[in-house]
Amino acid sequence: GNSVTQMEGPVTLSEEAFLTINCTYTATGYPSLFWYVQYPGEGLQLLLKATKADDKGSNKGFEATYRKETTSFHLEKGSVQVSDSAVYFCALSKDFGNEKLTFGTGTRLTIIP
Amino acid sequence: DGGITQSPKYLFRKEGQNVTLSCEQNLNHDAMYWYRQDPGQGLRLIYYSQIVNDFQKGDIAEGYSVSREKKESFPLTVTSAQKNPTAFYLCASSMTASPVYGYTFGSGTRLTVV
């Protein structure tokens, strides 16, 4: 079946540091891939997505590239801010059948000034 | 603006009571979902509905019930049979039953048993 594996947290970085949160997936065919962000006490918000191999999703300075050869969708940001502190979820979906979104377990990120 | 509205934001339940969490969307989405999130954990699917008047159990449906009488609404009832209901509950929707474009989430309801 489909699955998503995220790097375990929590991750703590200083402001302006470079961020990488690893995400790998297992799925047949060509899933769509997503990163969601959850701020404290809130629901999940879509951060970025990519729907085919080699696509790069980007938003708010975050980027992730769909790498089919390594089945990965790592989230990166060049210079993090305190406001980026949140929980980040990687997810995938298939484009046929009655598939549901499959989520990773989430990675808590804390940025210290 | 289109979106998903969950209410109430905070809910307190006494032992043995049933409570109903509201979820309304004005996105004209076909599919709706209920997830449970516990501290430090990921999302677990409770129930989902891909079309009006139809719904399926997710991974942790025991002690919960839902209805889907209208496209816009997907209320979740937490029954007294749910032994550990304290959690953060998230409602989501997707354009079609095949969520290639992802989900839109509500802002959640935090349920506490007192």
Side-chain angles (χ1 to χ4, degrees):
Chain A
N2 302 333
S3 67
V4 175
T5 302
Q6 287 183 238
M7 68 184 290
E8 292 200 12
V11 174
T12 303
L13 295 173
S14 297
E15 203 166 21
E16 299 184 1
F18 184 86
L19 168 71
T20 299
I21 300 178
N22 289 338
C23 171
T24 58
Y25 68 89
T26 301
T28 57
Y30 298 89
S32 295
L33 300 172
F34 307 84
W35 276 101
Y36 281 85
V37 58
Q38 183 181 33
Y39 298 103
E42 300 290 327
L44 277 68
Q45 302 174 25
L46 180 63
L47 181 60
L48 52 85
K49 68 182 181 187
T51 57
K52 61 182 187 292
D54 299 325
D55 268 2
K56 178 185 285 186
S58 62
N59 186 25
K60 299 181 181 179
F62 290 89
E63 293 183 339
T65 301
Y66 188 160
R67 302 285 188 200
K68 184 157 180 68
E69 64 275 16
T70 55
T71 61
S72 66
F73 193 54
H74 304 322
L75 182 68
E76 297 181 336
K77 187 174 184 181
S79 177
V80 292
Q81 306 300 313
V82 172
S83 57
D84 294 326
S85 298
V87 181
Y88 292 81
F89 291 89
C90 186
L92 71 82
S93 77
K94 299 296 291 295
D95 58 358
F96 58 86
N98 293 327
E99 298 279 350
K100 298 175 296 296
L101 211 57
T102 300
F103 288 92
T105 54
T107 302
R108 180 174 298 280
L109 173 67
T110 301
I111 307 301
I112 54 176
Chain B
D1 285 342
I4 296 183
T5 301
Q6 288 188 243
S7 61
K9 192 170 179 66
Y10 299 96
L11 186 58
F12 297 89
R13 190 195 94 167
K14 293 182 180 179
E15 294 280 355
Q17 272 186 338
N18 292 354
V19 290
T20 297
L21 283 60
S22 171
C23 178
E24 303 278 333
Q25 55 102 354
N26 60 3
L27 300 165
N28 200 34
H29 284 179
D30 287 332
M32 297 185 75
Y33 311 82
W34 274 107
Y35 285 89
R36 169 178 173 145
Q37 185 177 28
D38 293 284
Q41 296 190 29
L43 304 175
R44 292 187 288 171
L45 183 64
I46 304 171
Y47 268 97
Y48 63 102
S49 168
Q50 294 169 329
I51 195 169
V52 175
N53 292 323
D54 187 46
F55 49 83
Q56 287 80 40
K57 294 181 179 180
D59 302 319
I60 56 164
E62 185 175 353
Y64 300 96
S65 65
V66 293
S67 62
R68 186 88 188 275
E69 297 176 0
K70 299 186 297 181
K71 188 174 186 178
E72 311 81 59
S73 179
F74 192 42
L76 173 74
T77 296
V78 184
T79 75
S80 56
Q82 170 50 238
K83 298 307 179 189
N84 185 22
T86 295
F88 190 50
Y89 290 86
L90 288 164
C91 180
S93 69
S94 61
M95 193 181 303
T96 69
S98 190
V100 66
Y101 299 109
Y103 292 175
T104 300
F105 281 85
S107 56
T109 293
R110 186 166 301 280
L111 173 64
T112 304
V113 174
V114 297

